[in-house]
Structures are given as structure tokens and as C-alpha cells.
């Protein structure tokens, strides 16, 4: 079941109070338990940073074939992303999503296939063994060029190792169609020096009508995923109920001192 909320209709006070404090996702949990398939709001997805299409199982259940994967690393695109997504009728595109079109930049490719990045880092896992020249493209341009019907796309997932904010700024024209944003964020300024951290990305999305619903437990690694929902869309009753149960549990703990 879902707490049905029409566009522009406020949620009830208790739900708003609960959602004002984001859920901390435990080990093994992710955004998939918050989104459920509905004919009104969950229709399709654009995912930037495909690599091996790790979310493929969730996406097939949620969106069927209506998924647009984007992968900048040409090797990953041909060897992994394209064959896996195409096997389920989903589309994959090879370009570097960014906040500007047709800028030639370096794609830094380390030995780990899931760590390709457009941003220099001192962290060991991001040290490149190969550097490729690649042209950038805004998601707005990509959407226009491929005639993507954004009335059928409402989830945006960005996992791009440091370029998330620039990619987000490249979809300003079409962000109005998006109801859910899943984005990798960092609280570690040394991970990708000079790039916006979690709080800046959070503020950017809040100004555009989104609410932080859940976030990874960053722990010692200093990064994780943040899940944002547009303030006027439905949230599963099971998610809200669980927050109520957890809130009441901690109230009892505080009251009884155990």
C-alpha cells in the first residue's frame, strides 16, 4: 500500500514530521525498499554510471524495458553494460554526462571497472592505469537528441565517482519530470577535492522541491547513497510505518533508560 499524495497536496503532519528526518539505511538495505511500482509515479529511469548494471534486477521489476543507462567508459560499455542491459530490452548509451556539451576532458580509468572518473583523486582505488579523451554531453541534450519521452521517466540515479553534481546541473530543464533522485554523495573532502559534498547537493535538490528521505550510513568510508523524493509524491505506507515503529521504540528507550 501507498500513502497516496496527489501533486501539490500536502502530506499529513505525522508523515511530514517523520520524513523530515531521513532514514539511515542499514547494511544490505537500499532505496529499492522505498520505491514500489505504481502506475502513477514509477514508470522509467535514467541511470548514469552503468558499469555492470548492478541494479538490473531491481530495474526489471520496477521499470521493465524503460531504462536508459549511461556509461562513459567505452570498455565497460561494450563488455558489460551493453550486453547485460540489452538482454532485457533496456537501452545503453556511451558518453560522459556533464553540465556542459562538447567539452573534451579526460576519463581516468583505474584497474577497477567501477571506479572510472572524470575527477582527480589521491585515493588509491582511483589511480588511473589508462586515460581516455572523451566529449561531454548534458543529460538535457541527450534527452532531446534521443527523443526520450520524459512523461515516462521519473527516477534519476547518478553514480559517477565525483561528477554527480555537474551531471545533476546538466538536467535542469528536465528535472521537473523526476520524482525520485538516487545520487552518490560524499562527506569526505579528500575523496574528490574541489567537488561539492553531501550538504551542497542536498541544498540544491531541496531548492528544487525534493526531500531527503533516506541516506546510507557513511561510516568510516565517508560516502554513500542519498535518496530524494519530490515533496508531493507518494511514499510506501510500509516505509512510513517502519519509521513510526522506530520512533516509538527510541522514545521508549529514552523514557525507560535502557
Amino acid at each position: 500500500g501507498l500513502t497516496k499524495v496527489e501533486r501539490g497536496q500536502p502530506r499529513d503532519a505525522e508523515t511530514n514530521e517523520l520524513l523530515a528526518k531521513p532514514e539511515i539505511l542499514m547494511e544490505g538495505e537500499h532505496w529499492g525498499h522505498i520505491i514500489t511500482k505504481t502506475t502513477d509515479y514509477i514508470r522509467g529511469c535514467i541511470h548514469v554510471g552503468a558499469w555492470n548494471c548492478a541494479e538490473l534486477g531491481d530495474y526489471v521489476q520496477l521499470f521493465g524495458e524503460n531504462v536508459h543507462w549511461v556509461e562513459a567508459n567505452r570498455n565497460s560499455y561494450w563488455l558489460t553494460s551493453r550486453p547485460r542491459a540489452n538482454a532485457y530490452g533496456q537501452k545503453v548509451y556511451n558518453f560522459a554526462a556533464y553540465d556542459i556539451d562538447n567539452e573534451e576532458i579526460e576519463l581516468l580509468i583505474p584497474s577497477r571497472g567501477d571506479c572510472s572518473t572524470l575527477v582527480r583523486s589521491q585515493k588509491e582505488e582511483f589511480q588511473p592505469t589508462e586515460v581516455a579523451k572523451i566529449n561531454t554531453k548534458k543529460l538535457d541534450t541527450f534527452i532531446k537528441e534521443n527523443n526520450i519521452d520524459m512523461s515516462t521517466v521519473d527516477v534519476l540515479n547518478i553514480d559517477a565517482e565525483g561528477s554527480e553534481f555537474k551531471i545533476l546541473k546538466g538536467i535542469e530543464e528536465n528535472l521537473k519530470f523526476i520524482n525520485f533522485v538516487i545520487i552518490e554523495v560524499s562527506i569526505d573532502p579528500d575523496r574528490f577535492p574541489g567537488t561539492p559534498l553531501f550538504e551542497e547537493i542536498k541544498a540544491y535538490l531541496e531548492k528544487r522541491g525534493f526531500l531527503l528521505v533516506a541516506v546510507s550510513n557513511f561510516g568510516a568510508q565517508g560516502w554513500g547513497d542519498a535518496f530524494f523524493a519530490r515533496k508531493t509524491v507518494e511514499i510506501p505506507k510500509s516505509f512510513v510505518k517502519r519509521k513510526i515503529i522506530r520512533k516509538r521504540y527510541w522514545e521508549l528507550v529514552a523514557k525507560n533508560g535502557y
Side-chain angles (χ1 to χ4, degrees), residues 48-245:
V48 182
W51 185 49
N52 70 349
C53 302
E55 297 82 358
L56 187 60
D58 291 311
Y59 287 176
V60 169
Q61 294 182 53
L62 288 168
F63 314 116
E65 296 182 354
N66 194 25
V67 179
H68 303 272
W69 299 88
V70 177
E71 175 55 50
N73 185 330
R74 190 167 179 80
N75 291 333
S76 294
Y77 168 79
W78 283 109
L79 296 175
T80 311
S81 312
R82 191 171 186 269
R84 289 190 178 181
N86 285 175
Y88 291 88
Q90 299 174 357
K91 295 181 179 179
V92 194
Y93 309 81
N94 180 218
F95 70 92
Y98 217 54
D99 64 345
I100 190 170
D101 290 323
N102 298 316
E103 179 177 325
E104 187 180 73
I105 56 177
E106 292 183 339
L107 176 66
L108 311 173
I109 306 172
S111 56
R112 276 183 52 178
D114 61 333
C115 289
S116 295
T117 177
L118 301 174
V119 185
R120 291 280 178 183
S121 174
Q122 296 303 312
K123 302 287 185 179
E124 183 179 353
E125 62 266 34
F126 297 110
Q127 298 313 302
T129 57
E130 179 186 350
V131 177
K133 296 288 186 180
I134 190 166
N135 288 326
T136 61
K137 183 181 295 184
K138 296 193 296 183
L139 286 178
D140 282 330
T141 304
F142 156 71
I143 290 164
K144 184 177 180 180
E145 288 179 350
N146 290 276
N147 296 312
I148 295 173
D149 180 2
M150 289 301 291
S151 69
T152 69
V153 176
D154 40 24
V155 177
L156 175 64
N157 193 333
I158 308 177
D159 181 359
E161 308 302 344
S163 299
E164 286 82 4
F165 190 53
K166 285 186 176 291
I167 293 167
L168 194 57
K169 291 175 71 176
I171 194 174
E172 285 188 311
E173 293 177 20
N174 287 281
L175 192 61
K176 61 188 177 185
F177 296 103
I178 300 298
N179 286 323
F180 300 100
V181 175
I182 303 102
I183 186 166
E184 186 175 284
V185 292
S186 176
I187 58 172
D188 177 6
D190 295 325
R191 191 166 188 253
F192 294 109
T195 61
L197 298 177
F198 168 56
E199 288 297 335
E200 186 173 347
I201 292 174
K202 177 173 174 284
Y204 179 89
L205 285 167
E206 286 176 341
K207 287 180 181 178
R208 286 154 180 80
F210 289 88
L211 177 72
L212 178 65
V213 175
V215 67
S216 299
N217 186 351
F218 295 125
Q221 65 185 9
W223 63 272
D225 292 322
F227 179 92
F228 294 85
R230 193 166 290 282
K231 293 177 181 177
T232 52
V233 302
E234 53 194 342
I235 299 294
K237 285 181 180 177
S238 59
F239 179 75
V240 176
K241 184 178 180 180
R242 186 172 70 167
K243 293 205 75 170
I244 292 172
I245 292 170

